[in-house]
Amino acid sequence: MPATLPRNDDLAEQLELLADLSEILGEESFRVLAYRRAAARIRETPGPVAELALAGKARELPGIGRTIEQKVVEAVQEGEMRALSKRRALVPPGVVDFLRLPGVGPKTAARIWTELGITTLEGLEAAARERRLRNLSGLGPRSEEKILAALAEGAGRRAPAEERALLGRALPAVQRVVEELAAHPAAIAVSEAGSVRRRRETVRDLDLVATSNEPRALIAAFCEAPWVAEIVARGETKATIVDHQGLRFDLRVVAPECFGNVLQHFTGSKEHNVALREEAQRRGLSISEYGVTIVDTGEVVTHASEEELYTYLGYQPIPPELRENAGELEAARRGELPALVELGDLRGELHAHSTWSADGKATIEELARAAKARGLSYLCVTDHSHYLRDGRLEAQWEEIESLEARLGRFRVLRGVEVNIRADGSLDLGDDVLSELDWVVASLHSALDRNPTERVLAAMDNPHVDCIGHLTGRRLLRRPGADIDIERVVERAVETGTALEINSQPDRLDLRDVHARLAGEAGVRIPVTSDAHSTSALAYAELGIAVARRAWLTREQVLNTRPWSHIARPRRR
Ligand code: DGT
Ligand code: CA
Ligand code: CA
Ligand code: ZN
């Protein structure tokens, strides 16, 4: 048996590859689904799944049965799952790379391989250039163009040089570690730092700063924790580890007197810190992570908190989310920083999917009760228009009506998420839209075809209240539509259409800079979860993080208001 157990992300990758290969080989879809579900579960599990599997306990995790557990044991004992080795021998390695190209699913990948005999990205590129792909059913000249464009951007190739993790994955992980370290007897104060503390949408590694009078004991607790897969570096006062999910953590332990200085330094951003230091230099001060040196006298002043440090330097304390050198230092100098919106300010949810949408996991009642438990007072159900044809919308309204009596002081609103078609029209008629409390219109396909014009057309429809996930991007996967944000913001103001911040971890769309622009122009901006399950309502924390990075106050975030304030001025 190998000395080190495979990490959770290694196991998940094996299962995902197994799923891809099985699909290319045309195997039953329920198995493929089971592999993918297990891979997702293993990625999210904090403890080492390999160890659980060896003890026969991995099957206690939801989504993991005896068969998957057996595969994990094989991965531990033989380095690779047998089912994977077997299928790898059947499919040329390059064929799997085809799946990462736009418009290429497993069936198409299989046909490119078996019918055209192409097994590498280079071969695929040549075939697209020579217009040979269009001979396959399901592929046309447009597909060839798209594939060539994607290949030119490096799509399909593995292992991006710099891997980043979604904030939605990093934030719960770092919060758990902060809590665990803070509970250790050797810890005085523990804080997250770096890009995760600034709530950037993706992060490279996770930074932590702690104070202690016994740094060795705290470093030992950190490095020897059960969720640590690998110790990259271990010193007296700092250490770097990788956890079982493949996330990298950097911990620095310092003396309590200079906690403010160190935390400020390692929170960054680098650009913010450079600007802060330059400004201080002009006033005879030199800033480092150890303190502020008064250059004339050589005296070093330390600060136990960031608030003291910023105040000493003549600024209002600056929230971490604003520290990107984007005007925050000037505003803080003048005492004009905005009072940023907080998660607790939200009063309602304006974008959520129930079991009426095929991919929804919770009933309307379950969503409503969960929203109420989160302290909200209204929930707007916005299932996909596609599933609400042929009288189903009316049936949903009946369900909503019967619910209201049972829920007590909580409103459930009739909404919908309509699709903006390739020609800019909506896939529900005005007669239906006019009956609804709230209409979200979103781009879901053909993102490269006149996206700006289509969004503008949707906003011109008086029944559309909000544009959903403006660019349609999927973080770490696809860049999204190239939207002319200035024109969209201008039209949103003219028509009174809201632009949401969608809080799905891989969307965060509007992104921070777009949301800031929209906020400055006076656009009404709801922060929505786009939940497809009760637990996903919690994603609002991520959307609020984006809103804060966009400098937004409570007044600028639409769903901090009660529904009565939103409903009335809605119609123009
Ligand atoms: P990331 O990890 O790429 O998502 O972004 P950050 O901001 O967390 O960057 P990271 O982990 O390299 O460093 C954390 C903070 O520490 C960074 O925002 C500023 C500070 N810092 C790190 N290394 C240096 C350095 O060499 N010089 C300066 N001035 N600051 C540094
Ligand atoms: Ca970092
Ligand atoms: Ca770091
Ligand atoms: Zn949605």
Side-chain angles (χ1 to χ4, degrees):
M1 195 181 299
T4 52
L5 293 176
R7 286 194 330 233
N8 290 355
D9 55 323
D10 299 332
L11 294 171
E13 259 168 43
Q14 288 199 25
L15 283 167
E16 279 156 5
L17 183 56
L18 176 58
D20 286 346
L21 291 171
S22 305
E23 251 186 320
I24 290 170
L25 291 167
E27 296 175 36
E28 300 99 326
S29 56
F30 73 89
R31 272 209 241 171
V32 173
L33 216 67
Y35 297 151
R36 291 204 204 284
R37 198 173 299 140
R41 171 61 58 185
I42 290 173
R43 270 192 204 286
E44 286 165 12
T45 306
V49 173
E51 216 169 289
L52 288 177
L54 288 179
K57 286 186 183 153
R59 70 185 76 158
E60 287 165 20
L61 296 169
I64 296 182
R66 220 174 264 272
T67 339
I68 302 276
E69 182 174 271
Q70 181 53 37
K71 290 187 169 27
V72 172
V73 171
E74 288 166 12
V76 174
Q77 294 174 341
E78 296 163 31
E80 185 166 280
M81 301 172 186
R82 283 179 209 161
L84 176 58
S85 313
K86 199 175 108 197
R87 284 168 186 75
R88 256 203 229 264
L90 297 173
V91 182
V95 175
V96 177
D97 297 337
F98 299 171
L99 296 178
R100 278 182 274 268
L101 297 169
V104 182
K107 290 207 179 69
T108 312
R111 282 210 305 269
I112 294 173
W113 162 38
T114 55
E115 292 176 28
L116 299 178
I118 298 169
T119 58
T120 61
L121 289 174
E122 290 70 28
L124 187 65
E125 187 167 1
R129 272 190 213 297
E130 293 157 17
R131 306 179 170 190
R132 285 190 284 127
L133 294 183
R134 61 184 70 179
N135 299 334
L136 286 182
S137 67
L139 290 181
R142 269 196 70 78
S143 327
E144 287 173 346
E145 272 169 42
K146 275 192 190 174
I147 287 172
L148 284 174
L151 285 172
E153 283 174 21
R157 304 187 205 276
R158 286 154 204 252
E162 192 199 27
E163 274 189 48
R164 300 185 69 88
L166 294 177
L167 178 66
R169 194 154 80 83
L171 187 56
V174 82
Q175 286 169 339
R176 201 172 51 234
V177 175
V178 166
E179 202 175 304
E180 187 176 313
L181 284 179
H184 192 274
I188 301 170
V190 182
S191 173
E192 47 175 336
S195 52
V196 73
R197 183 166 182 241
R198 303 196 311 278
R199 301 289 187 263
R200 279 198 56 179
E201 59 195 32
T202 62
V203 302
R204 186 181 49 87
D205 71 352
L206 301 167
D207 301 281
L208 299 160
V209 176
T211 56
S212 171
N213 295 320
E214 302 166 76
R216 271 165 195 271
L218 202 58
I219 292 287
F222 178 64
C223 290
E224 285 150 29
W227 45 266
V228 172
E230 185 191 336
I231 301 170
V232 178
R234 180 174 179 168
E236 307 256 302
T237 58
K238 62 183 192 178
T240 301
I241 62 96
V242 179
D243 80 356
H244 283 286
Q245 297 181 32
L247 293 170
R248 203 180 163 96
F249 292 77
D250 255 356
L251 170 67
R252 285 178 192 75
V253 185
V254 300
E257 308 83 76
C258 60
F259 185 53
N261 306 88
V262 176
L263 181 57
Q264 196 285 325
H265 177 84
F266 286 108
T267 296
S269 66
K270 210 168 187 169
E271 293 73 18
H272 172 89
N273 287 355
V274 167
L276 185 76
R277 244 176 283 144
E278 283 174 358
E279 164 109 20
Q281 248 158 21
R282 275 180 244 127
R283 294 183 297 125
L285 301 171
S286 164
I287 300 177
S288 81
E289 64 239 70
Y290 308 109
V292 181
T293 308
I294 302 168
V295 177
D296 279 350
T297 62
E299 186 194 350
V300 178
V301 189
T302 60
H303 302 92
S305 73
E306 282 186 326
E307 287 71 25
E308 288 169 45
L309 172 59
Y310 278 112
T311 308
Y312 176 81
L313 295 172
Y315 301 95
Q316 273 179 294
I318 303 176
E321 294 93 332
L322 299 188
R323 300 183 198 167
E324 300 291 349
N325 194 30
E328 73 277 11
L329 287 166
E330 295 79 353
R333 175 72 77 199
R334 295 192 304 265
E336 289 170 3
L337 285 179
L340 299 179
V341 63
E342 289 171 14
L343 183 60
D345 293 332
L346 291 181
R347 303 281 288 272
E349 174 61 71
L350 287 173
H351 186 163
H353 298 266
S354 73
T355 43
W356 287 83
S357 294
D359 50 354
K361 294 186 185 67
T363 62
I364 299 179
E365 176 158 7
E366 286 164 345
L367 281 173
R369 291 198 186 276
K372 194 176 174 187
R374 291 181 61 81
L376 303 184
S377 63
Y378 56 94
L379 166 84
C380 185
V381 186
T382 53
D383 281 305
H384 293 289
S385 48
H386 179 72
Y387 301 108
L388 298 171
R389 297 181 197 294
D390 307 323
R392 281 170 56 88
L393 190 57
E394 290 73 10
Q396 187 183 64
W397 294 345
E398 272 170 37
E399 182 178 323
I400 290 174
E401 209 173 309
S402 75
L403 255 179
E404 290 237 283
R406 272 181 285 153
L407 286 172
R409 292 172 59 81
F410 189 87
R411 295 266 335 247
V412 181
L413 303 155
R414 304 161 160 195
V416 77
E417 181 174 12
V418 282
N419 191 28
I420 306 174
R421 293 197 190 111
D423 66 0
S425 66
L426 303 176
D427 70 349
L428 273 186
D430 286 353
D431 49 335
V432 183
L433 296 184
S434 67
E435 297 282 315
L436 289 153
D437 293 316
W438 189 252
V439 174
V440 181
S442 317
L443 295 175
H444 287 110
S445 53
L447 297 182
D448 54 347
R449 251 185 282 172
N450 303 322
T452 302
E453 297 303 329
R454 287 156 66 199
V455 167
L456 295 178
M459 289 195 290
D460 285 338
N461 183 319
H463 303 298
V464 169
D465 299 293
C466 182
I467 299 297
H469 48 72
L470 180 62
T471 70
R473 69 173 179 170
R474 293 292 190 151
L475 283 168
L476 308 181
R477 281 221 322 248
R478 68 166 194 229
D482 184 11
I483 296 270
D484 184 339
I485 186 70
E486 268 96 7
R487 288 181 68 203
V488 167
V489 162
E490 191 184 341
R491 190 71 59 89
V493 173
E494 282 165 21
T495 58
T497 315
L499 298 177
E500 73 171 5
I501 293 177
N502 185 301
S503 309
Q504 288 286 313
D506 64 345
R507 288 195 185 274
L508 301 182
D509 190 6
L510 306 176
R511 60 182 304 165
D512 46 18
V513 289
H514 287 178
R516 185 171 176 189
L517 213 76
E520 282 168 359
V523 176
R524 306 178 321 147
I525 305 174
V527 171
T528 71
S529 71
D530 196 358
H532 289 63
S533 66
T534 53
S535 58
L537 290 168
Y539 290 149
E541 182 179 7
L542 306 174
I544 287 291
V546 174
R548 291 170 63 85
R549 288 179 56 81
W551 293 54
L552 300 185
T553 63
R554 180 163 58 97
E555 289 68 35
Q556 290 171 297
V557 174
L558 185 64
N559 50 334
T560 60
R561 303 181 199 180
W563 173 250
S564 57
H565 290 201
I566 299 172
R568 206 170 288 278
R570 198 167 66 85
R571 296 279 174 233
R572 325 177 253 284

